[in-house]
Amino acid sequence: MKKIFLIILIAALTKTTQAQVPDTLAYLQSIELNKANYIGQPFSVLFNNLQIQTKYFYSYANIHYDKNKETATKFAFYFPQTAEDLYMTSPSLKIYWQTPLNANQSGLLWGNNDGGGWNTNVYNFYKNAIIKDIQVRD
């Protein structure tokens, strides 16, 4: 009887745990749908509410005449082991910044962290940046 109870308990806990882990794309789409909660807020507000762990980042400098200004950043939840694994960083969030960031600094952080690996220094660089828009990239 104890074995049956234990099996039922383990099955229930496993089912509960699986239900708490969201489908990544659906979860990111829910963030995009509720982006009004984050626009105008520092990145730290969004980051602290994420239910999945950031593993990778990549900066975009989309002002053609000033490549020193990072206008957006991709945040992914998988770290690619090789260049061939880059497709596995999708789905991801692309955050547009209200005020462009220093692309030279983020480039140094990207290069110093195994090509985009996430750590405390990277978080400290982005935490106070104000979010202008959020898009899911799949």
Side-chain angles (χ1 to χ4, degrees):
M1 187 68 163
K2 288 181 183 180
K3 288 181 182 180
I4 293 173
F5 175 74
L6 186 58
I7 291 171
I8 292 171
L9 179 63
I10 290 171
L13 289 174
T14 303
K15 191 175 247 185
T16 302
T17 302
Q18 289 173 347
Q20 291 173 347
V21 177
D23 171 62
T24 303
L25 179 58
Y27 175 66
L28 296 179
Q29 288 170 334
S30 74
I31 291 173
E32 185 178 30
L33 286 172
N34 295 302
K35 65 184 174 182
N37 296 329
Y38 302 108
I39 291 175
Q41 298 291 323
F43 175 72
S44 60
V45 173
L46 171 61
F47 184 83
N48 291 332
N49 287 324
L50 286 175
Q51 296 176 11
I52 53 179
Q53 187 178 13
T54 304
K55 305 252 179 156
Y56 177 79
F57 77 101
Y58 183 81
S59 65
Y60 294 90
N62 291 332
I63 301 174
H64 68 34
Y65 58 86
D66 193 351
K67 295 299 181 184
N68 295 321
K69 294 184 178 175
E70 179 178 344
T71 55
T73 309
K74 172 184 179 173
F75 295 97
F77 308 96
Y78 173 81
F79 183 79
Q81 302 301 314
T82 66
E84 290 80 26
D85 288 347
L86 278 175
Y87 75 95
M88 295 175 73
T89 62
S90 293
S92 60
L93 287 178
K94 188 171 184 181
I95 308 294
Y96 294 85
W97 305 114
Q98 198 169 72
T99 303
L101 306 176
N102 183 332
N104 295 322
Q105 182 64 36
S106 62
L108 288 172
L109 288 167
W110 191 87
N112 291 337
N113 294 302
D114 299 322
W118 190 258
N119 67 24
T120 303
N121 291 333
V122 177
Y123 169 75
N124 287 334
F125 176 75
Y126 288 106
K127 71 180 179 182
N128 295 318
I130 304 299
I131 296 172
K132 179 180 178 181
D133 196 15
I134 299 172
Q135 290 181 348
V136 172
R137 309 300 284 188
D138 57 353

